[in-house]
Amino acid sequence: MTIMPTVEPAIFHAAFRDQFEVFLDEHRSALHDSLNGLTEEQARRSLVTSKTTLLGLLKHAAFVEKVWFDEAITCRSRADIGIPATPDESFDLDDADTVASVQDAYRQACAASREATARLTLDDVVQGNRRGPLPLRWVYLHVLRELAQHCGHADILREQVLDGTTPVG
């Protein structure tokens, strides 16, 4: 999985908001696609001491979308949204979680995020985050940073899964 920020000349001079959304969507797609072609066992394979698996990573990314683009914008509680109380719990996999179901849930969460922000400007302040009021611009930057980190995690885990290797040390 390689992330290539768009090289379309039009995006170089696009509005800042459009640039944010292109980069967010590229990272969302890369993370989503990290599960493509894997078996259910491969997607669930635990290769690190944390709860991080490829399937759990994408499930966590759906949680991230809901925290930052539902909870922060609508001010609804995590219980009302139907998401775990903590980020750590968002990696937990249920028996019913499959590559297809988690990818679908992530696509739905991303679509809901786009819809929730469609009428907002980057300078609008969201009120529902636990840190307090934050401008949407900061939220976009934070989510982009988090997705970039998780894409890196997914790259390494996928390489290990496909190579059949285990961590050294």
Side-chain angles (χ1 to χ4, degrees):
M1 170 181 63
T2 301
I3 298 172
M4 279 293 288
T6 187
V7 293
E8 295 295 321
I11 200 64
F12 298 161
H13 305 287
F16 199 41
R17 168 78 176 256
D18 295 335
Q19 290 176 340
F20 263 136
E21 290 176 355
V22 165
F23 277 78
L24 280 170
D25 282 343
E26 285 177 348
H27 283 75
R28 286 168 171 154
S29 292
L31 197 52
H32 171 279
D33 293 349
S34 70
L35 295 178
N36 288 352
L38 298 181
T39 66
E40 298 297 330
E41 184 277 326
Q42 288 172 319
R44 287 175 170 271
R45 191 174 298 162
S46 178
L47 298 168
V48 294
T49 57
S50 70
K51 293 181 180 182
T52 308
T53 64
L54 282 164
L55 192 62
L57 196 56
L58 193 62
K59 189 171 180 180
H60 169 72
F63 165 85
V64 168
E65 293 283 338
K66 291 176 182 183
V67 164
W68 289 105
F69 299 115
D70 190 336
E71 180 183 33
I73 292 172
T74 68
C75 301
R76 294 189 313 151
S77 72
R78 291 182 183 186
D80 288 343
I81 296 168
I83 58 175
T86 68
D88 188 57
E89 294 171 286
S90 71
F91 286 89
D92 292 344
L93 297 173
D94 301 323
D95 290 342
D97 290 327
T98 65
V99 169
S101 71
V102 172
Q103 281 182 319
D104 185 53
Y106 184 59
R107 278 191 303 272
Q108 289 178 31
C110 293
S113 295
R114 287 184 205 95
E115 186 176 329
T117 59
R119 291 176 290 285
L120 301 176
T121 71
L122 292 177
D123 294 325
D124 282 337
V125 175
V126 300
Q127 302 291 329
N129 186 265
R130 295 172 182 195
R131 290 178 175 94
L134 296 167
L136 183 62
R137 145 185 349 267
W138 187 92
V139 171
Y140 271 34
L141 282 168
H142 177 77
V143 172
L144 182 58
R145 175 179 55 199
E146 186 151 347
L147 290 176
Q149 290 172 334
H150 292 324
C151 283
H153 300 147
D155 269 343
I156 292 167
L157 290 173
R158 185 175 170 90
E159 181 179 332
Q160 289 177 326
V161 163
L162 293 177
D163 286 346
T165 61
T166 56
V168 177

